[in-house]
Amino acid sequence: MDLEFLQSMDVQILAGVAVAVLAVVVTAAAFLFSSKKSKGCLDPENFKEFKLVKRQQLSHNVAKFTFELPTPTSVLGLPIGQHISCRGMDSQGEEVIKPYTPTTLDSDVGYFELVIKMYPQGRMSHHFREMRVGDSLAVKGPKGRFKYQPGQVRAFGMIAGGSGITPMFQVARAILENPKDMTNVHLIYANVTYDDILLKDELDSLAAKYPGRFNVYYVLNQPPEVWNGGVGFVSKEMIQTHCPAPAQDIQILRCGPPPMNKAMAAHIEALGYSPEMQFQF
């Protein structure tokens, strides 16, 4: 009887030890996984090299560049609405550094993408124009003043011009693809011609997938003959019609060429939006 009792005690002790060891292993694995998951590939102080694995020409002067991260499960680690600094060489062989916003999020693992408009005289444009698959890009980050927490505002109004669409697209995607974030997004996107519109398929796809939550209004300076969007420059009336009205729980974001940003700041102020309701990338 005593022997049976001792044997049963041994079994119970061994089972308890096994459960305890398993709990420690699971906890350690979870901690390790969460640590790895939350740790991005970026370094805010030092440039790191990322290899170009795909280049897709979208138009005569726009291309999508896909860069490989160290492992298939790596994330870039870029907070929503922030950007990276990219380093390259201009046509004279001089170093140039310029900020860019990836169109991918940390839900896109193993790679990140940049949609780049290459201007004839652009110094960094030259570097991207010359890049070929297998080349590496020097990147540092995260950079930027924009901080976003899901649900921090009821709605965003966004006013973008040209390549200024990239931070807007990144923020809109992050909001809409988060099932816990009910923020509405109203975008006005201005360009010179129809062919200048970046990410149009992706924007239209978001509008179709999230009706009522994401609206996009295109404005063209030189529209085609058949066009149902805005014409000319973005006006106060367009902002009034397509952006949320001034309120404490909304924010107007803007990103575009300096002359456009200046004009939009004047429009927004005239419409009664306080400084707290505005942010310029």
Side-chain angles (χ1 to χ4, degrees), residues 86-118:
C86 299
R87 184 177 67 191
M89 293 287 186
D90 66 12
S91 59
Q92 305 301 311
E94 294 183 6
E95 183 179 282
V96 56
I97 297 170
K98 193 176 176 186
Y100 291 95
T101 305
T103 53
T104 41
L105 304 173
D106 279 354
S107 55
D108 305 304
V109 297
Y111 70 98
F112 72 94
E113 291 179 341
L114 296 173
V115 173
I116 305 292
K117 186 168 187 175
M118 288 162 282

Side-chain angles (χ1 to χ4, degrees), residues 42-120:
L42 291 171
D43 185 329
E45 302 301 327
N46 302 296
F47 281 97
K48 295 176 73 174
E49 301 272 339
F50 297 95
K51 187 167 79 172
L52 179 66
V53 291
K54 184 180 178 184
R55 173 182 172 142
Q56 181 186 359
Q57 203 69 28
L58 302 180
S59 73
H60 72 284
N61 65 348
V62 177
K64 182 193 288 183
F65 296 81
T66 304
F67 295 92
E68 186 179 61
L69 295 177
T71 76
T73 56
S74 296
V75 297
L76 189 61
L78 188 68
I80 296 167
Q82 297 204 3
H83 60 266
I84 55 178
S85 293
C86 299
R87 184 177 67 191
M89 293 287 186
D90 66 12
S91 59
Q92 305 301 311
E94 294 183 6
E95 183 179 282
V96 56
I97 297 170
K98 193 176 176 186
Y100 291 95
T101 305
T103 53
T104 41
L105 304 173
D106 279 354
S107 55
D108 305 304
V109 297
Y111 70 98
F112 72 94
E113 291 179 341
L114 296 173
V115 173
I116 305 292
K117 186 168 187 175
M118 288 162 282
Y119 299 92

